[in-house]
Amino acid sequence: MKPHAHRGYNGAMSSDDTSARVSIEPIGMAQRAQVIAATQAWVDRAAALLAQPLALPTVLFDLSGGSAGMFRAQGVNCSIRYNPWIFARHFDENLEHTVPHEVAHYVVHMRHPRRRLKPHGPQWQQVMQLFGRPPRVTFDLALDGVPMRRQRRHPYHCGCREHAVSTVRHNRMREGRARYLCRYCSGVLRPVG
């Protein structure tokens, strides 16, 4: 079975980018324990409200980039991944909103394991309402100092112009697994140099 991943609660970079170069430290063991305890509390609350036994999914602190949390299901194995840098930047906000947000995804998956549902569809919104939390998908908090992934671009050309190709597409072409065409001249993209 293919892994199902939901990129969760996303943050937006502040327009005041002056301190973006100052890196913050991820949350430590004590705060991670608080996040795990909060996750367990929301799972227990859902189990009681829905009269359905629910085990704590695996909780990881390995998420990076602009998402604060992510629920992932791979067959019967479920995990909730948290971004320790975003939690460090806005700990209370994430404890209050990101944790129940991701637990709600887990609950929906456990109630409808074989159905492909919209990540923030009515089932998820219903769980958020049961939790007494607004069914928000994103938050608008500064992410200054949070390390962000930056994807490298590779120079390619066709018959009419140069293109900046993502690493994923570059690797697919290099390995012969894909061919990409220019949307303007329909020429095959070839590496520069």
Side-chain angles (χ1 to χ4, degrees):
M1 180 180 239
K2 272 184 113 172
H4 164 72
H6 164 71
R7 275 247 185 244
Y9 222 44
N10 295 315
M13 179 60 91
S14 167
S15 58
D16 177 20
D17 202 19
T18 55
S19 62
R21 291 176 286 283
V22 178
S23 184
I24 60 173
E25 292 296 316
I27 58 173
M29 295 309 289
Q31 285 183 312
R32 288 177 187 217
Q34 280 182 272
V35 174
I36 293 169
T39 303
Q40 179 69 64
W42 283 107
V43 169
D44 292 346
R45 184 173 181 180
L49 288 169
L50 300 169
Q52 176 180 353
L54 294 168
L56 179 69
T58 302
V59 176
L60 305 168
F61 295 91
D62 64 347
L63 195 58
S64 60
S67 293
M70 180 177 130
F71 167 73
R72 180 172 51 191
Q74 248 176 319
V76 295
N77 299 321
C78 296
S79 62
I80 294 177
R81 300 171 63 202
Y82 295 118
N83 185 321
W85 291 274
I86 293 178
F87 269 75
R89 186 79 167 90
H90 302 285
F91 188 75
D92 293 335
E93 170 78 14
N94 283 295
L95 211 54
E96 185 178 334
H97 295 286
T98 303
V99 173
H101 177 112
E102 299 309 329
V103 170
H105 285 297
Y106 166 65
V107 170
V108 169
H109 173 75
M110 295 306 288
R111 291 187 62 135
H112 309 282
R114 294 193 180 6
R115 292 182 56 197
R116 291 185 88 82
L117 302 171
K118 291 183 178 181
H120 299 108
Q123 297 85 356
W124 177 83
Q125 292 175 20
Q126 181 183 29
V127 174
M128 290 298 285
Q129 288 169 351
L130 278 174
F131 285 170
R133 292 290 183 260
R136 295 188 319 186
V137 177
T138 61
F139 64 82
D140 189 23
L141 299 172
L143 296 182
D144 302 344
V146 173
M148 293 289 176
R149 294 174 290 226
R150 300 202 194 314
Q151 193 172 77
R152 183 175 170 209
R153 298 289 179 168
H154 302 270
Y156 275 71
H157 67 90
C158 62
C160 71
R161 64 188 71 214
E162 284 204 14
H163 302 270
V165 174
S166 72
T167 299
V168 171
R169 288 187 175 196
H170 167 73
N171 288 337
R172 286 179 186 157
M173 287 187 279
R174 193 183 71 208
E175 294 165 3
R177 294 185 291 132
R179 233 175 53 145
Y180 294 97
L181 306 176
C182 173
R183 66 160 60 150
Y184 303 103
C185 72
S186 298
V188 175
L189 300 187
R190 305 210 183 279
V192 171

